[in-house]
């Protein structure tokens, strides 16, 4: 995994152990200048555009009764934090306390939060807005289906998400939303954060310069 240390990174996670997968989604922020109208006045402001770098899945084995190895999850997150600056992390409260505590040891503003219905609607509406306005870049994700379960990849899963009665995010019984929850969380903390920089610095290239020998 090659990550660019000049970017600020954000982590979203959905913690399954024995029945559902444990998913993490890593995104970095690319500051973009947008035009917006506030109180009838046209303004230009910088916002964070989330760019997805990584989706990782740990799958429990129901056949062999093997749960997700949470120590391995924490080890992988530690490796990421040692490569780049992860500013914030947001995980579903279920099975995430130890992972969040370990992230905090690396200076990450990490939180395990109850993904209540109102909060899920909020972060999914935010993700929907980012997609419709083109202010997010998502990976072309694929899944390995070694058990012939006809699993959906992350983008297919996202398209199958349903809004129930305007106040609940859900999925059909034969589908899931583990990938989607992690992505929505990462996109939420990234897009709602203040941009830390509006450009990436590089050494200037002076064209046409030549040296003179005395």
């Amino acid at each position: 995994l090659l990550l660019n240390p000049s970017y600020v990174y954000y982590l979203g996670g959905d913690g399954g152990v024995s029945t559902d997968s444990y998913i993490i989604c890593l995104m970095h922020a690319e500051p973009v200048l947008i035009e917006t109208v506030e109180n009838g006045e046209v303004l230009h402001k910088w916002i964070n555009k989330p760019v997805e770098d990584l989706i990782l899945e740990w799958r429990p084995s129901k056949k062999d009764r093997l749960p997700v190895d949470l120590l391995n999850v924490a080890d992988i997150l530690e490796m990421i934090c040692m490569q780049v600056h992860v500013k914030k992390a947001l995980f579903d409260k279920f099975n995430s306390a130890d992972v969040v505590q370990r992230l905090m040891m690396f200076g990450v503003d990490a939180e395990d939060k109850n993904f209540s219905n109102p909060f899920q609607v909020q972060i999914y509406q935010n993700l929907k807005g980012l997609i419709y306005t083109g202010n997010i870049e998502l990976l072309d994700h694929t899944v390995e289906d070694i058990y012939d379960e006809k699993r959906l990849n992350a983008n297919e899963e996202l398209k199958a998400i349903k809004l129930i009665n305007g106040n609940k995010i859900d999925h059909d019984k034969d589908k899931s939303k583990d990938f989607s929850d992690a992505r929505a969380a990462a996109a939420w903390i990234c897009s709602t954060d203040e941009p830390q920089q509006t450009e990436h610095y590089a050494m200037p290239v002076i064209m046409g310069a030549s040296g003179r020998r005395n």
Side-chain angles (χ1 to χ4, degrees), residues 12 20 28 62 76 78 113 119 125 140-142 187 213:
D20 295 328
H28 73 262
K62 299 176 185 178
I76 296 298
E78 181 177 324
K113 184 179 178 67
F119 181 68
Q125 293 285 20
D140 185 13
H141 179 253
T142 59
R213 294 182 179 179

Side-chain angles (χ1 to χ4, degrees), residues 33-166:
L33 189 62
I34 65 167
E35 184 178 284
T36 183
V37 178
E38 296 182 8
N39 299 322
E41 183 179 358
V42 178
L43 301 175
H44 293 86
K45 68 176 183 179
W46 290 94
I47 65 168
N48 279 341
K49 175 183 178 180
V51 178
E52 194 170 47
D53 297 279
L54 178 68
I55 300 173
L56 276 181
E57 177 187 23
W58 285 261
R59 293 189 66 194
S61 174
K62 299 176 185 178
K63 179 182 178 181
D64 299 323
R65 297 184 179 180
L66 292 176
V68 170
D69 185 350
L70 295 180
L71 288 176
N72 183 249
V73 175
D75 286 343
I76 296 298
L77 292 176
E78 181 177 324
M79 290 172 62
I80 292 173
C81 291
M82 292 179 68
Q83 283 193 44
V84 293
H85 171 44
V86 179
K87 184 179 180 183
K88 294 184 177 183
L90 179 61
F91 285 73
D92 185 356
K93 201 172 188 68
F94 186 66
N95 295 318
S96 297
D98 291 342
V99 169
V100 165
Q101 289 179 9
R102 191 155 172 182
L103 285 170
M104 293 173 68
M105 292 174 59
F106 284 87
V108 181
D109 181 6
E111 178 183 6
D112 54 336
K113 184 179 178 67
N114 179 21
F115 279 23
S116 63
N117 287 339
F119 181 68
Q120 286 194 56
V121 170
Q122 188 176 19
I123 63 176
Y124 272 92
Q125 293 285 20
N126 176 70
L127 179 58
K128 178 181 176 180
L130 293 171
I131 293 172
Y132 282 9
T133 57
N135 285 318
I136 190 171
E137 291 184 22
L138 299 176
L139 291 173
D140 185 13
H141 179 253
T142 59
V143 293
E144 292 186 6
D145 193 357
I146 59 176
Y147 300 113
D148 193 27
E149 297 172 333
K150 298 181 179 179
R151 303 173 64 223
L152 300 180
N153 65 43
N155 293 331
E156 292 169 337
E157 180 189 282
L158 193 59
K159 292 176 183 178
I161 293 294
K162 295 181 177 181
L163 177 63
I164 309 298
N165 298 326

Side-chain angles (χ1 to χ4, degrees), residues 204-209:
V205 178
I206 303 175
M207 304 299 293

Side-chain angles (χ1 to χ4, degrees), residues 187-200:
W188 170 257
I189 56 176
C190 178
S191 64
T192 58
D193 198 23
E194 288 291 328
Q196 290 195 203
Q197 57 191 38
T198 56
E199 62 179 328
H200 291 286

